[in-house]
Amino acid sequence: MSEHSANPSSTAAATGRPLAVKAVIPAAGLATRFLPATKAVPKELLPVVDRPVLQYIVEEATQAGIGDVLLITGRGKTSMVDHFDRRPDLETRLEEKGDTERLAAVRGPSELAEIYTVRQPEQLGLGHAVGYAESHVGDQPFAVLLGDEFVKPSEPLLPAMLELQARTGGVVLAFFEVDPAETKRYGIASVEPAESELTDIGEVVKVTGMVEKPQPEDAPSNLAVLGRYVLPGKIFDAIRRTKPGSGGEIQLTDAMELLRTEGVPVHAIVYRGTRYDTGMPLGYLQTVVQIAAERDDLGGEFRSWLADFVKADAAGGSGT
C-alpha cells in the first residue's frame, strides 16, 4: 500500500533523524499454551506450512529495510538461531540431486539478515526483555517485533512506522480494530487526531493513554495494540525506572507511558491490512489455513479439499 512506503534519504534530510535499522524480537517465553509441542521445539519455530513463524517475522523486518536482527532468547531456544545458519551438508545433498527449489529455500534464511542473540535468564515481562537489547542497539531508534504475529507481505506495516518515528523522534505503535466485546483481551488505547503534517504517512493517531485489558464498558476505544513498536533509544532508561506492574513484571507499556508523561510524543498507525496471530492454538491454525489457501502451489487443491471437508462435517461425515 502506497501510504506504507518510506524514503529513508528524504526522511533523514527533512528531520535530521535516520530510520531505525535494527530490530529486536523478544522470543524467550515458555509458550505454555502449546505444550507439549513446545517442550522441545520453540513456539517461534512452529511451521506455517513450510516456514516457521519466526522466518515470516524476520522477512517482515528485512522487507522494511532492516538488516540487523537481535533475538532475545531463553533456555532451550538455540534452534531458533540454527534456523538462520547455513547447512552445508544438506545444501550439498540438494545440489547433488539438482533440487534447486529446495536448495534456495534452505539457503534463504541465512541470507535474510545479520542475526544476533542475547539470553534473557528470567522472563520478567516484555519491558525486561527489551532492556536486554541496550548493548546492541545503543541510543538509536529500533523496531520491536513480537514473535507470534506478522502481517501479509503485500500489505506492509513496518515501513510506515519507521517513517513516522523518524519524523517525530518518539514512540510509534500499531493498532488494529477489535470488536468492542473483545477489548478485555488486549491493551486498548485512548487517542486523538494526529498533527496534520503526519497524515500523509497513513492513518495516524496521537496516543493519549493505554489501559490493559479493560472491560468493554470501560474501554476508551476499540483500538488494540498490535505487536509492533518503533522506539527511541531513551526507552532503556525508562525501563530501568519502571517498577514491576501487572503480574509482577516490568511492562513495556508502563515504560512507554512514563516517556509519554515526560513529553515524549507517542503516535500510532491504525493498520487495516491482514494480521496473522499465532500466539494461541486457534489463531495458529487459522493462520496455517489462510496461508495454505493462498499459496499458488497448494491453494487450489487445498481449498477444494477444505470445502469437501466442511460439507462432509456439516453432513455428519468424517470428511476424509
Side-chain angles (χ1 to χ4, degrees):
M1 295 183 291
S2 60
E3 67 269 24
H4 289 160
S5 63
N7 185 326
S9 59
S10 65
T11 297
T15 67
R17 304 186 193 100
L19 293 175
V21 295
K22 295 183 179 182
V24 174
I25 302 177
L30 298 175
T32 54
R33 292 187 183 97
F34 285 87
L35 287 170
T38 50
K39 178 182 177 182
V41 179
K43 178 182 70 172
E44 295 80 7
L45 291 187
L46 293 178
V48 177
V49 187
D50 54 7
R51 277 186 286 168
V53 173
L54 184 59
Q55 184 172 331
Y56 284 93
I57 294 168
V58 172
E59 288 171 350
E60 184 181 335
T62 59
Q63 184 186 21
I66 291 175
D68 181 308
V69 176
L70 176 69
L71 303 178
I72 310 294
T73 69
R75 293 180 186 85
K77 297 224 170 183
T78 56
S79 55
M80 291 193 303
V81 183
D82 292 339
H83 178 72
F84 295 96
D85 200 357
R86 293 289 299 270
R87 274 289 304 271
D89 57 333
L90 180 57
E91 292 172 25
T92 298
R93 178 66 63 87
L94 292 171
E95 277 186 304
E96 291 171 348
K97 292 173 61 179
D99 194 340
T100 57
E101 184 176 347
R102 288 190 175 87
L103 177 61
V106 167
R107 283 179 174 166
S110 67
E111 298 169 348
L112 285 172
E114 295 293 331
I115 304 294
Y116 302 90
T117 64
V118 65
R119 176 73 65 90
Q120 183 189 14
E122 294 182 274
Q123 285 71 64
L124 299 177
L126 180 57
H128 181 258
V130 171
Y132 275 86
E134 184 173 14
S135 61
H136 185 78
V137 171
D139 60 358
Q140 297 301 305
F142 64 101
V144 175
L145 294 81
L146 299 193
D148 53 15
E149 58 185 301
F150 56 96
V151 304
K152 196 171 185 176
S154 61
E155 300 167 352
L157 166 64
L158 199 53
M161 296 181 68
L162 299 176
E163 171 79 10
L164 182 57
Q165 199 284 327
R167 288 205 202 175
T168 65
V171 171
V172 172
L173 311 175
F175 298 151
F176 66 103
E177 286 191 323
V178 298
D179 187 288
E182 296 295 304
T183 58
K184 59 183 178 292
R185 295 179 51 204
Y186 301 97
I188 302 295
S190 57
V191 302
E192 62 184 33
E195 300 86 335
S196 59
E197 63 269 20
L198 298 175
T199 56
D200 66 301
I201 296 175
E203 191 174 344
V204 179
V205 293
K206 187 173 183 179
V207 180
T208 59
M210 285 179 284
V211 58
E212 192 66 28
K213 300 178 180 178
Q215 292 299 315
E217 62 271 19
D218 299 323
S221 74
N222 69 331
L223 295 176
V225 179
L226 194 153
R228 297 292 179 269
Y229 313 80
V230 185
L231 305 171
K234 61 183 70 174
I235 191 68
F236 297 116
D237 177 64
I239 289 171
R240 281 191 288 273
R241 295 186 286 125
T242 297
K243 294 185 166 86
S246 176
E249 297 181 333
I250 298 173
Q251 301 294 342
L252 182 62
T253 298
D254 293 339
M256 294 187 298
E257 179 65 10
L258 176 60
L259 289 183
R260 190 189 68 81
T261 61
E262 294 175 346
V264 174
V266 181
H267 293 83
I269 291 176
V270 181
Y271 183 64
R272 305 284 182 186
T274 303
R275 166 183 170 268
Y276 303 106
D277 185 354
T278 64
M280 298 181 69
L282 178 58
Y284 170 74
L285 290 173
Q286 290 169 334
T287 297
V288 172
V289 170
Q290 284 178 269
I291 289 180
E294 293 170 357
R295 287 267 296 252
D296 291 337
D297 58 337
L298 298 172
E301 189 174 352
F302 179 65
R303 283 175 181 271
S304 177
W305 173 86
L306 190 60
D308 290 342
F309 175 84
V310 172
K311 287 178 185 176
D313 186 66
S318 66
T320 59

